[in-house]
């Protein structure tokens, strides 16, 4: 068997997340259908992570296996993109070693969350229209506090099927783009189910002055999802980068 990585991006608005669902269309199912149609055999893909319903990806990776090497030409990728809907785009397909795994070989994931005070007809479904003024400086103080901890059970959905709630956050901060727009940045080795959106929702409470830093720290220490704020909507969240060791990205079989 020959294993290939796919680099792709997608607008998640019309999909019930990455993972195949019994009750809705997913990115995974749509991608598998296109590959199966083009290659003439059933194809199963494994993603680097499971983005939630409505979440977007500027960069996502997945892998699949076939018995014989495939054509990696631009025309092959173009033909796949013609099969796929307009809101999913394949950028690269390249061979990797048999032990390279889209999910387990990844060493970090980087997300951004976009907030805007102004309604924009061209950004509908792509940013969170949030009218209140926000103090991004105090929100960044809370971000510094986040980096002091590794257990984020308070920011994980209660039904998360995981062995532990520990994550290594590499960086997290808010960037003020202009008077109306803010972007949240966070990178970690792994993320829990719903973690980024719940962190954002809680930080928005701090930015409005409805929660102080001491209360925020108590939420982290509580290890209880009920202690944190509500999750921010999915439409403002983007997976923007997935990192792998250099040997994975050398494009060698």
């Amino acid at each position: 068997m020959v294993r290939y990585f796919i680099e792709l991006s997608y607008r998640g608005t019309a999909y019930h997340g990455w993972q195949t669902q019994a009750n809705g269309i997913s990115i995974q199912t749509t991608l598998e259908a296109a590959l199966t149609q083009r290659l003439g055999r059933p194809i199963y893909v494994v993603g680097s992570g499971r983005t939630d319903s409505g979440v977007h990806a500027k960069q996502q990776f997945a892998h699949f296996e076939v018995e014989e090497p495939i054509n990696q030409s631009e025309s092959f990728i173009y033909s796949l993109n013609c099969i796929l809907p307009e809101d999913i785009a394949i950028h690269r397909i390249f061979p990797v070693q048999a032990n390279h795994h889209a999910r387990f070989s990844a060493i970090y994931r980087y997300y951004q969350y976009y907030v805007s005070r102004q309604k924009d007809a061209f950004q509908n479904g792509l940013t969170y229209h949030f009218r209140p003024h926000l103090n991004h400086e105090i929100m960044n103080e809370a971000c510094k506090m986040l980096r002091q901890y590794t257990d984020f059970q308070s920011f994980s959905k209660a039904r998360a099927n995981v062995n532990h709630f520990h994550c290594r956050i590499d960086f997290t901060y808010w960037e003020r783009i202009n008077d109306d727009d803010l972007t949240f940045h966070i990178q970690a080795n792994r993320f829990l189910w719903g973690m980024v959106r719940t962190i954002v929702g809680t930080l928005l409470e701090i930015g409005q002055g409805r929660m102080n830093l001491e209360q925020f720290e108590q939420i982290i220490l509580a290890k209880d999802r009920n202690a944190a704020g509500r999750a921010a909507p999915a439409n403002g969240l983007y997976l923007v980068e997935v990192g792998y060791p250099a040997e994975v990205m050398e494009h060698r079989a």
Side-chain angles (χ1 to χ4, degrees), residues 157-174:
K157 289 186 179 180
R159 294 183 290 109
N161 183 22
V162 294
N163 295 323
H164 65 86
F165 296 92
H166 290 273
C167 308
R168 182 205 70 237
I169 294 181
D170 300 324
F171 61 76
T172 179
Y173 62 93
W174 286 89

Side-chain angles (χ1 to χ4, degrees), residues 6 26 59 63 65 68 91-92 102 108 124 126 194 203 241:
I6 306 173
S26 71
Q59 183 186 67
H63 77 249
E65 292 182 329
E68 300 291 338
H91 304 292
R92 287 189 295 161
Y108 68 82
N124 180 41
L126 298 175
L203 291 175
E241 186 177 340

Side-chain angles (χ1 to χ4, degrees), residues 113-168:
Y113 193 96
Y114 300 150
V115 177
S116 179
R117 295 190 68 245
Q118 299 297 328
K119 183 177 180 180
D120 186 336
F122 298 101
Q123 293 296 313
N124 180 41
L126 298 175
T127 189
Y128 181 25
H129 178 210
F130 189 75
R131 188 63 183 164
H133 285 281
L134 295 167
N135 182 343
H136 80 284
E137 294 179 351
I138 193 68
M139 293 158 74
N140 275 333
E141 290 300 314
C143 287
K144 292 178 183 178
M145 192 174 291
L146 273 175
R147 296 196 295 271
Q148 299 173 14
Y149 294 91
T150 61
D151 190 318
F152 298 104
Q153 184 172 354
S154 290
F155 302 106
S156 173
K157 289 186 179 180
R159 294 183 290 109
N161 183 22
V162 294
N163 295 323
H164 65 86
F165 296 92
H166 290 273
C167 308
R168 182 205 70 237

Side-chain angles (χ1 to χ4, degrees), residues 2 15 30 34 62 79 82 104 108 123 151 174-175 203 213:
V2 184
Y15 300 92
T30 306
S79 67
C82 288
F104 298 123
Y108 68 82
Q123 293 296 313
D151 190 318
W174 286 89
E175 176 188 13
L203 291 175
L213 294 177

Side-chain angles (χ1 to χ4, degrees), residues 201-216:
T202 308
L203 291 175
L204 292 177
E205 295 286 303
I206 294 174
Q208 296 173 80
R210 299 172 63 176
M211 181 187 300
N212 60 40
L213 294 177
E214 182 179 352
Q215 291 171 318
F216 182 63

Side-chain angles (χ1 to χ4, degrees), residues 9-207:
S9 60
Y10 49 84
R11 174 175 173 156
T13 307
Y15 300 92
H16 288 243
W18 166 268
Q19 188 177 14
T20 297
Q21 305 286 329
N23 60 344
I25 301 173
S26 71
I27 303 292
Q28 180 183 11
T29 301
T30 306
L31 182 60
E32 288 174 345
L35 287 164
T36 296
Q37 178 180 335
R38 181 63 180 80
L39 296 173
R41 72 204 76 171
I43 300 294
Y44 173 74
V45 301
V46 177
S48 71
R50 300 171 180 177
T51 52
D52 287 345
S53 177
V55 175
H56 318 292
K58 293 185 177 181
Q59 183 186 67
Q60 170 71 291
F61 284 92
H63 77 249
F64 68 95
E65 292 182 329
V66 290
E67 294 180 355
E68 300 291 338
I70 63 172
N71 179 355
Q72 302 164 58
S73 66
E74 288 187 14
S75 61
F76 175 72
I77 294 175
Y78 175 77
S79 67
L80 279 171
N81 279 324
C82 288
I83 297 171
L84 287 165
E86 293 295 324
D87 49 10
I88 302 176
I90 294 176
H91 304 292
R92 287 189 295 161
I93 297 178
F94 55 92
V96 295
Q97 295 182 20
N99 63 335
H100 291 160
H101 195 284
R103 178 182 176 191
F104 298 123
S105 296
I107 54 178
Y108 68 82
R109 285 90 172 165
Y110 172 25
Y111 282 88
Q112 293 178 353
Y113 193 96
Y114 300 150
V115 177
S116 179
R117 295 190 68 245
Q118 299 297 328
K119 183 177 180 180
D120 186 336
F122 298 101
Q123 293 296 313
N124 180 41
L126 298 175
T127 189
Y128 181 25
H129 178 210
F130 189 75
R131 188 63 183 164
H133 285 281
L134 295 167
N135 182 343
H136 80 284
E137 294 179 351
I138 193 68
M139 293 158 74
N140 275 333
E141 290 300 314
C143 287
K144 292 178 183 178
M145 192 174 291
L146 273 175
R147 296 196 295 271
Q148 299 173 14
Y149 294 91
T150 61
D151 190 318
F152 298 104
Q153 184 172 354
S154 290
F155 302 106
S156 173
K157 289 186 179 180
R159 294 183 290 109
N161 183 22
V162 294
N163 295 323
H164 65 86
F165 296 92
H166 290 273
C167 308
R168 182 205 70 237
I169 294 181
D170 300 324
F171 61 76
T172 179
Y173 62 93
W174 286 89
E175 176 188 13
R176 180 167 290 285
I177 308 302
N178 52 48
D179 289 343
D180 294 321
D181 299 314
L182 283 169
T183 300
F184 177 65
H185 303 260
I186 187 166
Q187 179 177 297
N189 65 321
R190 66 191 288 259
F191 287 93
L192 304 168
W193 186 17
M195 176 176 165
V196 180
R197 290 170 55 200
T198 306
I199 288 176
V200 170
T202 308
L203 291 175
L204 292 177
E205 295 286 303
I206 294 174

